């Protein structure tokens, strides 16, 4: 089974709808991240969490919110989706130790907002 | 914030040949980590190789190696004996050594392998 899973894998929604993307991990990592990927822009950080009680905004947090329900679960919400939020969304985890820190990614969620 | 620049949006290589993907970064830190990730058509992000800035020796993983030039803030990826399965988008990434530091990604290089 995959260490980092994301649901759904693909989603089409309409402008103004609320949508939640979910991420679960079995790696036992404290740190979790949400990124979006757009062609020509690479990956940009939306939110990150270093533990259940620690949530931080990333580079492009406007229009998004997150919830860290448990060490293993980190959800991303779009309260009122708009077309320019159409993108590929990745969840990632890391241990947090500087000496070993590497990010492990989920399979991605392709979101289309019409 | 640190910036990571990949100046080659697209590259191509003949099968079995060698190709080098470029990456430069901007930082005022002296200790940090650099990464190359591969994203094949399946869109899964896969770690290719990792370099610690305080190590002068260039990292190597089988056919993948890096040329790390700290003074020039350059971190290129060399793929030797290219295979069809190497075709993918490649992202360079930077992370400072501090415990609270984030990852910063470049915009990616799309590599095509020609049979």
């Amino acid at each position: 089974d995959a260490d980092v899973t994301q649901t759904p894998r693909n989603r089409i929604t309409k402008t103004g709808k609320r949508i939640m993307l979910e991420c679960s991990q079995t790696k036992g990592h404290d740190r979790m991240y949400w990124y979006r990927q757009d062609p020509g822009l690479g990956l940009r950080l939306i939110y990150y969490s270093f533990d259940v009680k620690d949530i931080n905004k990333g580079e492009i947090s406007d229009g998004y919110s997150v919830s860290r329900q448990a060490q293993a679960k980190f959800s991303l919400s779009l309260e009122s989706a708009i077309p320019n939020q159409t993108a590929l969304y990745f969840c990632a985890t890391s241990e947090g130790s500087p000496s070993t820190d590497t990010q492990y990614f989920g399979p991605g969620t392709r979101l289309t907002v019409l | 914030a640190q910036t990571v620049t990949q100046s080659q949006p697209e590259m191509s290589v003949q099968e079995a040949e060698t190709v080098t993907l470029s990456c430069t970064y901007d930082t005022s830190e002296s200790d940090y980590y650099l990464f190359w990730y591969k994203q094949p058509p399946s869109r899964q992000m896969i770690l290719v190789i990792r370099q610690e800035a305080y190590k002068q020796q260039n990292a190597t993983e089988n056919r993948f190696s890096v040329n790390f030039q700290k003074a020039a803030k350059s971190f290129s990826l060399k793929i030797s004996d290219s295979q069809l399965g190497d075709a993918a988008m490649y992202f360079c990434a930077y992370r400072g050594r501090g415990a609270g530091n984030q990852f910063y990604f470049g915009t990616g290089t799309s590599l095509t392998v020609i049979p």
Side-chain angles (χ1 to χ4, degrees):
Chain A
D1 288 339
D3 295 320
V4 184
T5 58
Q6 293 182 234
T7 56
R9 293 295 308 277
N10 296 281
R11 180 72 181 267
I12 299 173
T13 191
K14 295 183 178 180
T15 297
K17 295 291 188 181
R18 183 179 188 276
I19 185 167
M20 179 181 289
L21 309 183
E22 299 187 343
C23 177
S24 296
Q25 53 115 346
T26 58
K27 299 188 75 67
H29 290 168
D30 286 328
R31 300 187 173 197
M32 299 186 73
Y33 307 77
W34 276 105
Y35 292 91
R36 66 176 279 175
Q37 182 183 0
D38 299 277
L41 296 179
L43 277 75
R44 293 180 293 166
L45 184 63
I46 305 172
Y47 270 95
Y48 60 104
S49 170
F50 285 172
D51 65 40
V52 174
K53 296 183 179 180
D54 179 69
I55 304 289
N56 303 281
K57 292 183 177 181
E59 178 186 354
I60 53 165
S61 59
D62 287 349
Y64 302 93
S65 62
V66 292
S67 173
R68 184 83 183 265
Q69 301 94 323
Q71 186 206 36
K73 296 183 181 297
F74 192 37
S75 300
L76 176 71
S77 293
L78 288 68
E79 296 301 326
S80 179
I82 56 177
N84 76 0
Q85 291 177 314
T86 293
L88 184 56
Y89 289 84
F90 284 100
C91 175
T93 74
S94 68
E95 284 186 72
S97 167
S99 63
T100 60
D101 204 15
T102 297
Q103 294 219 315
Y104 298 89
F105 287 84
T109 294
R110 183 165 297 282
L111 176 66
T112 302
V113 183
L114 302 176
Chain B
Q2 281 73 14
T3 56
V4 179
T5 301
Q6 293 180 249
S7 59
Q8 306 154 316
E10 298 178 346
M11 292 281 286
S12 62
V13 62
Q14 291 285 145
E15 194 175 4
E17 296 296 310
T18 296
V19 65
T20 298
L21 308 184
S22 300
C23 173
T24 59
Y25 56 93
D26 183 26
T27 184
S28 58
E29 296 176 296
S30 60
D31 201 8
Y32 45 86
Y33 299 90
L34 297 163
F35 306 81
W36 278 98
Y37 281 88
K38 170 186 177 181
Q39 186 182 41
S42 67
R43 78 192 191 199
Q44 180 72 51
M45 293 286 285
I46 303 165
L47 178 66
V48 175
I49 201 164
R50 176 178 182 271
Q51 175 79 41
E52 299 171 19
Y54 66 89
K55 290 186 177 179
Q56 294 185 345
Q57 186 174 5
N58 289 325
T60 299
E61 289 287 343
N62 300 314
R63 297 182 295 107
F64 298 86
S65 61
V66 299
N67 182 6
F68 173 48
Q69 301 289 329
K70 191 172 183 179
K73 297 179 182 176
S74 171
F75 182 61
S76 60
L77 175 69
K78 185 172 81 171
I79 306 174
S80 303
D81 185 24
S82 296
Q83 301 175 0
L84 295 177
D86 294 333
M89 182 73 81
Y90 287 82
F91 292 97
C92 178
Y94 168 101
R95 182 189 185 279
R97 187 171 174 81
N101 283 328
Q102 305 169 26
F103 282 74
Y104 295 90
F105 288 83
T107 53
T109 296
S110 178
L111 179 65
T112 299
V113 180
I114 303 167

